[in-house]
């Protein structure tokens, strides 16, 4: 017979991780939690949650090989010896992730992206909950766009203060699998992070992120976020050092919503320059 506490709710997990329910909802919507829906409500099996929690350190270590070599290593969020996963309820299990910044649900990410553009520029778009999010735009913006959008958060440890990151998980990608962005149908692909607390969009070069591991970390420096928060079109130059192959230069962009269209055009310009160099 199934135990009464074998299924956890969004509220249960929010209490366990000391995070807001909106943050947990966003994590479930983006596939970061082993959650499933019952009549539109998110639920997580307690055993799956415990396994997920205990594997966080291992996942960060595994993804480190895909990150830039000049970045400091990711410290584990916590280890299993610090967590009492045998408690009858989850309310007092851990507060190891309490420093994570605000997250918003996937639908809201897409709404904020569209709201940042001139209404006359957006001809049509896919349903809010669909990922990747596809838009048809008016010139001079790219007419066919495919956006992979993620919450950009401040990890709780092992990173420079204020640095933000996203975790790449493609639709349908499972733990241990590798994935790539869909470049088909003539659509231009954008890799976008959104720092909700600062209301800043970050645009990486999607063409440099192929065949990535599940939950790969992609970062942006705190100084870049600060410059964008001040209203600038902020840029950050860095070197990607893949496990095999020569280093590749990338320019990361960050902007407030009113300059998103400008950043999209700049991202396209930089991508063209990179392709010409190759």
């Amino acid at each position: 017979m199934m135990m009464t506490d074998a299924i956890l709710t969004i509220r249960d997990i929010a209490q366990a991780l000391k995070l807001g329910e909106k943050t947990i909802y966003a994590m479930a919507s983006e596939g970061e939690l082993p959650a499933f829906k019952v009549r539109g409500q998110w639920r997580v099996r307690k055993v799956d949650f415990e396994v997920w929690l205990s594997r966080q350190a291992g996942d960060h270590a595994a993804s480190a090989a895909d990150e830039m070599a000049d970045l400091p290593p990711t410290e584990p969020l916590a280890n299993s010896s610090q967590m009492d996963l045998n408690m009858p309820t989850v309310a007092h299990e851990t507060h190891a992730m309490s420093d994570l910044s605000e997250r918003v649900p996937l639908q809201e990410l897409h709404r904020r992206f569209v709201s940042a553009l001139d209404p006359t520029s957006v001809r049509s778009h896919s349903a809010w909950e669909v990922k990747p999010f596809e838009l048809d735009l008016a010139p001079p913006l790219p007419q066919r766009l495919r956006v992979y959008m993620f919450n950009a958060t401040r990890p709780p440890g092992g990173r420079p203060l204020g640095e933000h990151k996203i975790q790449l998980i493609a639709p349908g990608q499972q733990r241990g699998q590798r994935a790539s962005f869909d470049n088909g149908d003539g659509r231009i692909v954008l890799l976008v992070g959104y720092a909700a607390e600062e209301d800043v969009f970050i645009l990486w070069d999607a063409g440099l992120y192929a065949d990535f591991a599940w939950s790969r970390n992609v970062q942006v420096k705190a100084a870049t976020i600060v410059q964008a928060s001040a209203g600038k079109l902020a840029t950050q130059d860095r070197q990607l050092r893949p496990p095999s192959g020569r280093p590749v230069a990338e320019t990361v962009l960050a902007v407030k919503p009113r300059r998103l269209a400008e950043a999209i055009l700049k991202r396209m310009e930089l991508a063209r320059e990179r392709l010409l160099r190759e």
Side-chain angles (χ1 to χ4, degrees), residues 62-167:
S63 63
D66 284 327
E67 298 181 17
M68 297 185 299
D70 57 344
L71 286 172
T74 304
E75 295 293 333
L77 299 180
N79 58 59
S80 57
S81 65
Q82 297 172 315
M83 304 174 188
D84 184 2
L85 297 177
N86 296 317
M87 295 292 288
T89 64
V90 298
H92 305 289
E93 286 178 4
T94 180
H95 55 82
M97 297 175 67
S98 59
D99 291 335
L100 286 174
S101 47
E102 180 185 355
R103 295 169 180 256
V104 297
L106 182 64
Q107 297 94 320
E108 182 62 22
L109 286 176
H110 294 159
R111 287 191 177 94
R112 294 189 188 188
F113 185 90
V114 171
S115 296
L117 301 174
D118 187 328
T120 62
S121 298
V122 183
R123 291 173 170 169
S124 64
H125 59 76
S126 56
W128 297 115
E129 69 276 9
V130 173
K131 187 174 183 176
F133 189 57
E134 296 185 348
L135 304 95
D136 291 339
L137 305 177
L141 293 173
Q143 297 184 44
R144 291 169 58 80
L145 200 62
R146 178 173 291 124
V147 181
Y148 289 85
M149 200 162 179
F150 301 86
N151 281 287
T153 60
R154 297 189 301 274
R159 294 286 177 190
L161 182 65
E163 180 182 85
H164 286 61
K165 73 168 185 177
I166 61 174
Q167 292 177 275

Side-chain angles (χ1 to χ4, degrees), residues 201-203 224 233-236 251-255 263 266-267 270:
F201 293 94
I202 307 107
L203 287 75
T224 311
L233 196 167
T235 62
Q236 173 192 329
T251 299
V252 183
L253 307 177
V255 292
K266 183 64 174 178
R267 179 78 278 157
L270 292 171

Side-chain angles (χ1 to χ4, degrees), residues 167-234:
Q167 292 177 275
L168 299 187
I169 302 176
Q173 185 181 11
Q174 300 297 316
R175 186 189 306 273
Q177 294 180 341
R178 304 189 72 84
S180 296
F181 298 128
D182 180 3
N183 293 282
D185 302 326
R187 290 190 178 272
I188 292 176
V189 175
L190 285 185
L191 174 57
V192 181
Y194 178 68
E197 293 177 359
E198 295 83 1
D199 193 24
V200 165
F201 293 94
I202 307 107
L203 287 75
W204 290 270
D205 187 342
L208 297 178
Y209 297 89
D211 191 35
F212 52 82
W214 185 87
S215 194
R216 174 181 176 176
N217 294 333
V218 183
Q219 301 85 11
V220 61
K221 290 182 178 179
T224 311
I225 298 292
V226 171
Q227 291 174 12
S229 297
K232 299 180 180 180
L233 196 167

